[in-house]
Amino acid sequence: MHKLIIGNWKMALGYKESVTLAENLVLSQPYRPLLAEVGVCPSFVALSSVANILEGTAIFWGAQDATQFVPGPVTGGTSLESLVELDCRYVILGHSERRQLFGETDELVRLKLQAVLERTNLIPIVCVGETLAEREAGQAEEKVGGQLRAIFNSVVVPAGREVVLAYEPIWAIGTGKTSTPTQAEAMHHFIRQFLKELGIEGNRILYGGSVKPENAGQLLSQPNIDGLLVGGASLSADSFWSIVFA
Ligand code: PGA
């Protein structure tokens, strides 16, 4: 399976900046064989325009979140169906910023995951990760295992469907502190084993948290790191392509 590199633009860019970045990505794609699968997740307001720009290129697109509700009276919501309409390939679920800033729980992430699998063909990218306090207390695996158990509880992953996991230690997101490749590899190995016990196999497991052109190659060379979820360093076309070709 190809490595998967996803740019998570978060709420860092306005509409016009997002369009410009999408255009720059297309214009500056290096003339080298692209061995990885590449996608970007712009904000909702820019998603449709970015999709138009990326259509027919090697870059896929997706959303940073969605509601689990079916289309209807849900003020402020974004339905999974509307993402399908925009030909999204991915939807990120349970990013730690959604959990910290919007109070999302494992149970809500579980409902969203179930909705994605039941109602769409989108590839869910499910985020898990521990805080610094949990890591320092030696509870990182316990935390991540607990998240996985709660999120996948009674969720049926149909044969042939991929659920991508993203391990993002909260202490490494936007802080400049990256998990060492060895630390990340150990957690990815743990996640793979844990999922296997839940009967879920063949997933790509991405690492996220202060990924940069300088550390991407080493992270990607680890056997259980199948790709990267990149925030800050995906906001410039040059640094994003440097990561993809690391
Ligand atoms: P960062 O964000 O690369 O800016 O640390 C990663 C993420 O939160 O997906």
Side-chain angles (χ1 to χ4, degrees):
M1 216 179 285
H2 286 126
K3 299 267 184 189
L4 175 59
I5 317 285
I6 298 286
N8 173 12
W9 297 356
K10 307 192 179 185
M11 205 179 71
L13 304 178
Y15 170 76
K16 290 178 188 161
E17 291 166 321
S18 303
V19 164
T20 304
L21 177 54
E23 287 168 348
N24 286 343
L25 280 171
V26 175
L27 290 173
S28 62
Q29 182 180 340
Y31 289 107
R32 285 154 64 188
L34 186 57
L35 300 177
E37 180 181 327
V38 176
V40 294
C41 296
S43 64
F44 286 130
V45 283
L47 195 46
S48 161
S49 298
V50 168
N52 283 333
I53 294 164
L54 299 182
E55 195 169 357
T57 72
I59 308 166
F60 295 102
W61 56 92
Q64 299 172 12
D65 181 41
T67 72
Q68 74 279 23
F69 299 109
V70 292
V74 184
T75 302
T78 300
S79 71
L80 292 165
E81 284 72 10
S82 63
L83 303 184
V84 171
E85 222 183 319
L86 293 181
D87 290 325
C88 285
R89 183 171 170 85
Y90 319 99
V91 58
I92 299 174
L93 300 179
H95 189 281
S96 62
E97 286 151 14
R98 300 287 320 165
R99 294 167 184 265
Q100 288 179 321
L101 303 171
F102 297 89
E104 287 202 8
T105 59
D106 288 335
E107 172 56 13
L108 181 56
V109 181
R110 188 186 74 78
L111 290 172
K112 291 183 179 191
L113 175 61
Q114 199 163 31
V116 170
L117 294 172
E118 283 174 5
R119 309 208 314 259
T120 76
N121 278 324
L122 296 164
I123 300 177
I125 301 176
V126 175
C127 302
V128 292
E130 81 285 358
T131 62
L132 185 58
E134 287 158 346
R135 173 152 289 267
E136 286 177 349
Q139 295 165 348
E141 290 191 351
E142 198 181 315
K143 170 67 179 290
V144 170
Q147 288 178 319
L148 292 173
R149 196 178 301 110
I151 293 169
F152 285 91
N153 176 27
S154 77
V155 168
V156 177
V157 181
R161 285 293 297 268
E162 187 190 11
V163 176
V164 171
L165 264 291
Y167 168 57
E168 299 205 307
I170 294 168
W171 48 272
I173 296 178
T175 57
K177 286 185 201 158
T178 330
S179 183
T180 64
T182 318
Q183 267 176 333
E185 167 60 21
M187 184 59 91
H188 281 228
H189 181 258
F190 168 79
I191 292 172
R192 202 177 298 290
Q193 290 307 116
F194 200 96
L195 289 176
K196 210 169 165 183
E197 280 165 31
L198 296 178
I200 301 162
E201 290 187 72
N203 314 72
R204 283 176 289 188
I205 306 174
L206 316 183
Y207 172 79
S210 297
V211 173
K212 301 198 167 35
E214 300 78 49
N215 58 25
Q218 253 206 322
L219 288 161
L220 285 170
S221 66
Q222 304 299 314
N224 283 293
I225 298 187
D226 308 310
L228 302 168
L229 183 52
V230 189
S234 71
L235 300 176
S236 122
D238 280 352
S239 85
F240 188 61
W241 283 125
S242 304
I243 289 169
V244 171
F245 286 96

